[in-house]
Amino acid sequence: MRPEPEKNATAAPLRHLAVIMDGNGRWAKRRLLPRKAGHRAGAKNLRRLCQMCGQAGISYLTVYAFSTENWKRPEDEVATLMRLFIEFLNDYDREMESEGIRLRVLGDVSGLPANVRESMLAAEERSRGRERLQLILALNYGGRAEIAAAVNRIAERVLQGELIPGQIDETTVARHLYLPDVPDPDLIIRPSGEQRLSNFLLWQGAYSELWFSDVLWPDFRQDDFDRALAAYSERERRFGGLK
Ligand code: IPE
Ligand code: IPE
Ligand code: MG
């Protein structure tokens, strides 16, 4: 007799998880701490998330760490965040190596302070070739900026005679995004109670499943992660077709 099919047998595997790490400020405020304490707790939690993803067999984890709109924040908060990014890379370097984590940056690196840019590019270089999990840090990232950058590159190639207007299709656009080899995210998680994308993965997220939770990012733990993955496994992804 054939075994009963599992309940989630129709769900597509979860290769790429994306997380909007939101709620650090509110987490700190509730504890009467400065916002930077929330960002520190948030960075620590990212290390936990990497472990969870590794154990769950996820191949790509993209995390929204700093948006193109976050420059609007007070200068000292931006400076704290930039410092934390460098600290994260330094403190987490060994562990990333032993966990087989490859680090990549998603965003306009040219707009980052030189020390952040250099730390990121060096970490990318060091971790090239690691295969267990790709940790993709969205830094100075905006979905609209990414699409605009792609359009500019395509326009240049048209001028060079390499591309023909009228023949530019979805594949052409996708190939000119920041990380064209990374598959689209299967699931996007946003904690903190907000239910919006805030300019995250606008192109790539066209058919992503979305999961929201009220928990603040620094408090997001294994049980929240398990709940999100369980919800994903119940989803039926149709991509516009029929079951
Ligand atoms: C997310 O937490 C971190 C960044 C946007 C850099 P927030 O700082 O947005 O936290 P809240 O939304 O104010 O609680
Ligand atoms: C989104 O959070 C960006 C990151 C988590 C890095 P925001 O806190 O910036 O988003 P809004 O302002 O609430 O939309
Ligand atoms: Mg926020």
Side-chain angles (χ1 to χ4, degrees), residues 21 41 51 66 122 125 127 133 160 185 191 202 206:
M21 303 188 293
Q51 280 188 342
F66 193 88
E125 204 46 52
S127 67
L133 171 68
Q160 304 296 325
L202 296 185

Side-chain angles (χ1 to χ4, degrees), residues 21-26 35 70 73 190 192 194 196 198:
M21 303 188 293
D22 194 20
N24 296 350
R26 280 163 281 172
R35 291 179 60 85
N70 287 147
R73 296 192 179 195
R190 182 166 194 161
S192 91
E194 313 297 352
R196 55 176 169 262
S198 302

